[in-house]
Amino acid sequence: MDKLFLSGCHLSISEDSFHIEAPSHFAAYALRRCASELAISAKKLKRKRAIISWPGCDRPYRIPTSILNNHSTMTAPQPQNETYFLGADYLRVTDFIRERREEGRIVVITSMWNDVCLHTNDLLNAERGILQPHQWTGFNYRYLWRDSRDDYNQLIDTLMRDRYIPQYQYSLRRPDGTFALYETDYYLVEDYLNVPVRIGVSQVDAWQLLPEPSER
């Protein structure tokens, strides 16, 4: 298995299981797509199953080694359509970024592993984002979701299921401490420079300041 998918995971072995604690729900989901490889690893360790958990989960994924006896697997390729590009390569994503920029839209690329920003184009102005575009690269967006975890969890769960979310509305705590509502189209790409990412595409003016949650 590619070491990338085990990055940040904690591995352990019990009497009958091979345990993997992933750093996030999405990381656990990505590992589950490698079910056959995990079953093989568990079998080599003479265990009956692989178990994948993540922080806060109450129903971990369980992968019995018995799936190796079947011709079908849990890792069938996902269908492609025009609304998302799950299996897009780097050049396809680069073309997409350029096309959206030509349409006058903001494009932000964020790691699904750790929520670190990998790219922001020049249309994300300081009025909307407080920071300058170049200052966002390397910034951990997870910190900005601290007062809107429900919005974040819904985003991740829906994106994992549907791969594409049009006009998703969510609130964020901005770097200056103010609270704002945003609207973004989100796309899931599983391999952008060896990292699974979400690509957010937004209209420049698709946002508004909000009162503090306690004042609503």
Side-chain angles (χ1 to χ4, degrees), residues 12-195:
S12 61
I13 298 175
S14 67
E15 183 176 348
D16 57 4
S17 303
F18 170 40
H19 294 260
I20 305 170
E21 183 178 355
S24 66
H25 190 182
F26 180 83
Y29 166 80
L31 283 166
R32 185 176 180 271
R33 288 172 56 82
C34 303
S36 294
E37 294 180 65
L38 292 176
I40 290 171
S41 296
K43 188 171 184 178
K44 287 180 178 179
L45 293 168
K46 298 182 178 180
R47 298 306 188 265
K48 295 180 180 179
R49 67 188 65 84
I51 297 178
I52 310 170
S53 63
W54 59 93
C57 84
D58 55 4
R59 292 187 178 181
Y61 298 134
R62 297 176 180 273
I63 303 170
T65 56
S66 60
I67 69 168
L68 299 175
N69 300 326
N70 301 325
H71 293 295
S72 62
T73 72
M74 301 168 65
T75 58
Q78 297 293 324
Q80 299 297 303
N81 61 46
E82 63 184 6
T83 60
Y84 69 89
F85 37 44
L86 185 65
D89 60 17
Y90 176 74
L91 292 179
R92 173 71 182 93
V93 174
T94 300
D95 287 342
F96 180 82
I97 294 171
R98 175 181 53 78
E99 291 163 2
R100 300 294 83 75
R101 173 61 179 79
E102 291 174 353
E103 294 172 359
R105 304 187 73 182
I106 300 167
V107 178
V108 176
I109 301 179
T110 307
S111 168
M112 288 292 282
W113 286 127
N114 55 18
D115 294 315
V116 169
C117 178
L118 304 178
H119 169 84
T120 301
N121 73 11
D122 60 314
L123 296 182
L124 179 55
N125 57 46
E127 182 180 11
R128 175 187 172 110
I130 305 301
L131 302 180
Q132 295 298 323
H134 71 275
Q135 294 176 299
W136 283 105
T137 301
F139 189 95
N140 193 323
Y141 266 102
R142 191 172 302 174
Y143 179 66
L144 303 184
W145 292 94
R146 63 190 183 275
D147 295 317
S148 50
R149 294 298 297 177
D150 289 346
D151 288 355
Y152 173 83
N153 291 334
Q154 182 181 12
L155 168 64
I156 299 303
D157 290 346
T158 306
L159 196 56
M160 287 165 52
R161 184 189 68 222
D162 298 341
R163 313 296 195 263
Y164 167 68
I165 313 174
Q167 300 176 325
Y168 184 68
Q169 293 190 346
Y170 56 97
S171 53
L172 283 182
R173 179 70 64 183
R174 305 200 301 171
D176 67 348
T178 54
F179 210 47
L181 177 71
Y182 297 95
E183 182 178 278
T184 299
D185 295 342
Y186 279 104
Y187 301 78
L188 177 65
V189 176
E190 287 200 331
D191 186 1
Y192 174 75
L193 297 178
N194 295 322
V195 177

Side-chain angles (χ1 to χ4, degrees), residues 192-208:
Y192 174 75
L193 297 178
N194 295 322
V195 177
V197 299
R198 59 182 179 271
I199 300 180
V201 179
S202 310
Q203 298 286 354
V204 173
D205 59 354
W207 71 280
Q208 66 181 69

